[in-house]
Amino acid sequence: MDNRRPLIAGNWKMFKTCSEAVETAEHLVKLVSACADVDIMIAPPFTALAQVSEVVKGTCISLGAQNLFWETEGAYTGEISPAMLVSSGCRYVIIGHSERRQYFGETDESVNRKIRSAVSSGLVPVVCVGESEKQRELKETFSVLDKQVKKGLDNFSPGDLNTLVMAYEPIWAIGTGKTASAEQAQEVHEYLRAMIEKKFGNSLAKSMRILYGGSVKPDNIAELMSMADVDGALVGGASLDPLTFSKIVQF
Ligand code: 13P
């Protein structure tokens, strides 16, 4: 087994006001204070980042954002720059989540630009890929991932990507309670790692963390984590409750 430190990440999506986010984070800090073997990240909505950052400062929990825009500044109403995230205490940023691809026009090309801007600002990109139910039925899973990875990571050197975290989130498993089986996740993670090896070499492939996301719960995390190429989880619904999320962290 290679030296990949597990990462358990919580994507809070469009949930929690500032006070709710602070309360959740405070509770979580107490519950996971003893977790030395795993990296923990929570991604509250933009509006709560600065306040939650104060709560998690100096703890084992890192802060992430759910999106960013690639320009440094300018007349881009409603957008958030990498420097703004850094100044709000973020270390990670989720890029290319399927909900952003589905509802907000995110493409592999925009994902690519966002990864570049994240990396050059020192943020750790958590890049989401995954197929729909229909694509899986049509046996297009691997070709869909091929395209997402190829275009999303086009024109990077291995050195650009040495912090990058990949997240395999099959769309049919997100928020549906239908988790991919540990074997299904392993099959795809192995495929993704082989793609990274082919494109960027063995060293990056061995060190890159690949998370699984889609209906991760306290009762399925251990089996998922027992797979050789599953290095952590990107958790949606089950990350909103601190006790439930802390059980996933302590898989
Ligand atoms: P759920 O855990 O709610 O299925 O969401 C997964 C997800 O989209 C995390 O980014």
Side-chain angles (χ1 to χ4, degrees):
M1 182 65 188
D2 299 293
N3 207 13
R4 298 187 296 268
R5 215 176 129 77
L7 169 62
I8 305 291
N11 173 11
W12 291 3
K13 307 193 179 183
M14 199 175 76
F15 290 96
K16 299 188 189 289
T17 60
C18 290
S19 59
E20 289 165 349
V22 164
E23 196 184 327
T24 305
E26 283 172 349
H27 193 178
L28 187 65
V29 165
K30 289 190 189 121
L31 290 166
V32 300
S33 60
C35 286
D37 306 331
V38 42
D39 287 343
I40 305 167
M41 178 269 265
I42 51 175
F46 287 136
T47 44
L49 287 174
Q51 276 176 272
V52 171
S53 151
E54 293 302 318
V55 178
V56 300
K57 200 175 274 176
T59 73
C60 61
I61 302 171
S62 298
L63 194 65
Q66 300 173 19
N67 184 27
L68 84 174
F69 187 52
W70 55 75
E71 293 291 348
T72 49
E73 61 181 9
Y76 303 105
T77 303
E79 294 297 323
I80 305 283
S81 76
M84 291 171 187
L85 297 183
V86 172
S87 75
S88 304
C90 289
R91 174 167 158 65
Y92 293 87
V93 59
I94 299 170
I95 294 175
H97 192 282
S98 63
E99 286 149 16
R100 295 218 55 85
R101 294 179 190 252
Q102 192 178 345
Y103 306 127
F104 303 102
E106 194 89 73
T107 62
D108 294 325
E109 289 73 20
S110 62
V111 166
N112 184 285
R113 296 183 77 162
K114 289 181 177 192
I115 295 171
R116 188 163 301 284
S117 75
V119 167
S120 54
S121 305
L123 289 161
V124 175
V126 179
V127 179
C128 304
V129 295
E131 82 286 3
S132 68
E133 181 149 43
K134 182 122 193 255
Q135 289 164 333
R136 179 162 277 262
E137 276 165 14
L138 293 171
K139 307 220 176 314
E140 291 173 359
T141 299
F142 293 137
S143 63
V144 167
L145 294 169
D146 270 347
K147 182 175 152 287
Q148 290 174 340
V149 172
K150 214 181 203 161
K151 291 193 166 180
L153 303 186
D154 191 31
N155 269 315
F156 286 105
S157 71
D160 293 329
L161 304 180
N162 56 22
T163 64
L164 184 137
V165 176
M166 184 101 80
Y168 170 54
E169 297 209 315
I171 296 167
W172 48 271
I174 296 177
T176 58
K178 239 201 269 178
T179 326
S181 69
E183 291 73 23
Q184 280 173 322
Q186 170 59 23
E187 183 188 31
V188 170
H189 285 221
E190 199 177 328
Y191 181 82
L192 289 170
R193 201 176 303 285
M195 268 188 81
I196 296 296
E197 175 164 15
K198 210 164 135 201
K199 211 167 146 50
F200 298 103
N202 182 257
S203 162
L204 186 68
K206 276 175 110 171
S207 65
M208 185 178 287
R209 292 187 288 187
I210 306 179
L211 314 183
Y212 168 78
S215 297
V216 172
K217 304 276 180 302
D219 62 3
N220 57 30
I221 183 69
E223 199 188 350
L224 287 161
M225 291 303 290
S226 72
M227 296 289 133
D229 290 291
V230 177
D231 307 312
L234 183 54
V235 186
S239 72
L240 297 172
D241 174 60
L243 186 59
T244 308
F245 188 60
S246 73
K247 287 183 185 155
I248 296 174
V249 167
Q250 288 150 12
F251 64 89

